[in-house]
Every structure is written in structure tokens, then in C-alpha cells.
Amino acid sequence: MESTVAQKLDAIYNLQKIDSRLDAIFKIRGALPEEVQDLEDEIAGYETRLEKFNNDILALEDEIKKHKEAIKESEKLIKKYQDQQMNVRNNREYDAITKELELQDLEIQVSRKKIGEAEVRIEGKKKDLAELDETLKDRKKDLDTKKDELDTIVAESEAEENKLKTEREKATKKIEERILKSYKKIRNNAKNGLAVVEVKRGACGGCFNIVPPQRQADIREKKKIIVCEHCGRILADVADEIEDETLPKKKRSTRATKSK
């Protein structure tokens, strides 16, 4: 059986009330969820940088190890060539061995220079690593504080939030997909999250622009879904206004003055 327009309006307005209550819960949490997420992302970035620094240091240490091995190899060759130099048969052999000795000596100098450069880079990396580690510890403390604060707030409203989410799930099933889609679109564009409002004191409950009397009468009849011509919000009903109790008294007072 298809729902009447009145039922459709009641259903969508009920969903709005649930969403507004959920909005109030999320508002209490403020920016904490985003702050926690930002800190988690920042910490992940720091941890990635720490890992890179450690890998760079390991690579430099491996480079130093290779240069030290190269130095040892060159020293062995120098000793070998020096022994050969003692038994040369002519100047040509002597000159050839001398060149090999010079070459190995140069290799040792280059290796030692590269070892020195790598050690300087390692010191720089370790300094950066220590600073980054301190920053990471501070950020983790901030994250723990924010998480504790958020967990406390969430714990206070968790039961109500879960209840409202269950109610919301049930409420959405009673609403046509077409209307629900429009509701979500209007709600996403509204700063206060209000997509469905009542007319209060002759004005839209969302943008507070005046709603003409004839339009108010149409809204009361609930024969069709009417939206505010200014903000596009769905106008679910016209709220009954409580009459000013001082008004009749003033009228009586005026009549009494005239009669006299």
C-alpha cells in the first residue's frame, strides 16, 4: 500500500529529527576525530621517515665495510708488489710494479676519503634520527591524550548513538529512494544539516524567510511535498503558535476605555 503525502512527510521529518540528534552528539566531539586522524597520519609519516633514515644508515655502514675490505685488499697487493719489487730483473718490471703500488696507494686514499664522507653522513643521519624520534614521541603523547579525550566523550554518548543509528536505519526503510536522495542532497548543502523543517512564526525554520499564508495553508493540508522557495528545504508542517496572553487583556482594556 502506497504511503500518503502526509505519511511521507512524517517519515522524512522523523529522519531529520534523528539526524539532528546525531549531529548534536557529533558536535560535542568537535574536531577531535579529525585531530586524532591527522595525528595518526602525521605519526605514520614520521615512522616512514624513521625507517628511511635507518635504512640509509645501514646502507652507509655497508658502504664503509666494503671500502675497508677494499683497503685490506689493496694492502695485501702492496705487500705482494713490494716483495716482487725486490726480485725484479730489469727497470721495466720495476717501473710496472711501482705503478701498481702507486695505484693501490691511490685506491686506499680514495677508500679512506669515502669512508670519512660516509661517517659524516651517518652522523648527520643519526642527529636527524634523534630529533625525529623526539618529535615522534611528542606526537604519540598528543595522540594518546586526544584519543583518551575522544574515548571518554564517545563512551558517554555511545549507547544513545547506537540507539539512534538503529532508529535511523529503520526510518530510512520507510522513505522512498527518490525522496531519500533529495533529502541527503539538501542536507549536505545545508550548513546546519537541516533538510526538513517546520514553518515557525510565518517563516521557514531553515532560512527564516517569510512563507506566504496561502503557501502555509497548502503545507498544512499535506497534499503535496512543498519546499522553501528560498533555500530548497522541505517544509513538513506549520508549527502551532501559542497566542500572546497579553493581547486579549490589551483589547479588553481598550474597549473598557471607549465605553467610559
Side-chain angles (χ1 to χ4, degrees), residues 23 186-194 233:
D23 288 344
I186 298 168
R187 183 168 149 76
N188 287 336
N189 292 330
K191 290 181 180 179
N192 55 9
L194 293 176
R233 290 180 173 90

Side-chain angles (χ1 to χ4, degrees), residues 57-256:
I57 290 170
L58 288 173
L60 287 167
E61 287 175 342
D62 190 50
E63 184 180 329
I64 289 171
K65 185 180 177 182
K66 287 178 181 177
H67 286 310
K68 285 181 177 180
E69 289 173 355
I71 289 172
K72 287 180 181 179
E73 187 62 31
S74 290
E75 287 173 343
K76 285 180 183 178
L77 288 171
I78 287 173
K79 189 176 182 306
K80 175 186 172 184
Y81 292 140
Q82 284 174 341
D83 291 341
Q84 288 178 356
Q85 200 174 40
M86 299 298 292
N87 300 309
V88 294
R89 289 171 293 181
N90 52 54
N91 288 338
R92 187 178 177 184
E93 287 183 3
Y94 183 87
D95 290 341
I97 292 173
T98 300
K99 284 182 180 179
E100 287 296 334
L101 286 169
E102 289 173 354
L103 180 62
Q104 293 306 317
D105 185 59
L106 183 62
E107 289 288 340
I108 289 172
Q109 289 180 45
V110 170
S111 292
R112 283 176 179 166
K113 183 183 177 182
K114 288 184 177 179
I115 287 171
E117 291 172 350
E119 286 174 342
V120 170
R121 289 173 66 190
I122 285 173
E123 285 305 310
K125 295 281 183 184
K126 284 183 175 178
K127 185 180 177 182
D128 292 338
L129 193 64
E131 290 175 359
L132 187 59
D133 193 50
E134 283 301 311
T135 303
L136 182 59
K137 286 176 182 176
D138 290 339
R139 289 294 179 270
K140 283 185 175 180
K141 285 179 184 177
D142 292 341
L143 178 61
D144 289 340
T145 301
K146 294 287 184 184
K147 273 188 171 180
D148 288 342
E149 190 178 346
L150 181 59
D151 289 344
T152 300
I153 295 171
V154 169
E156 290 172 355
S157 57
E158 190 173 17
E160 184 183 0
E161 182 186 349
N162 290 336
K163 181 183 175 184
L164 287 170
K165 284 181 176 178
T166 301
E167 288 179 10
R168 190 184 193 284
E169 190 177 349
K170 291 178 182 177
T172 54
K173 290 178 180 178
K174 296 178 181 178
I175 303 168
E176 290 178 20
E177 185 62 33
R178 173 181 59 85
I179 297 174
L180 189 60
K181 188 177 179 181
S182 297
Y183 167 80
K184 288 177 181 177
K185 185 177 179 180
I186 298 168
R187 183 168 149 76
N188 287 336
N189 292 330
K191 290 181 180 179
N192 55 9
L194 293 176
V196 186
V197 296
E198 289 184 323
V199 175
K200 295 181 179 180
R201 298 178 183 241
C204 168
C207 65
F208 309 111
N209 279 294
I210 297 299
V211 178
Q214 182 54 52
R215 201 164 182 80
Q216 289 185 44
D218 293 338
I219 294 165
R220 285 182 187 276
E221 287 181 359
K222 295 187 178 183
K223 289 183 179 178
K224 60 181 179 179
I225 295 175
I226 298 173
V227 300
C228 174
E229 60 186 13
H230 298 285
C231 66
R233 290 180 173 90
I234 298 170
L235 301 171
D237 204 352
V238 178
D240 292 327
E241 296 178 30
I242 300 172
E243 291 185 3
D244 189 346
E245 292 180 359
T246 62
L247 194 59
K249 291 179 183 178
K250 285 182 181 178
K251 287 181 179 179
R252 284 197 296 272
S253 176
T254 303
R255 291 194 193 99

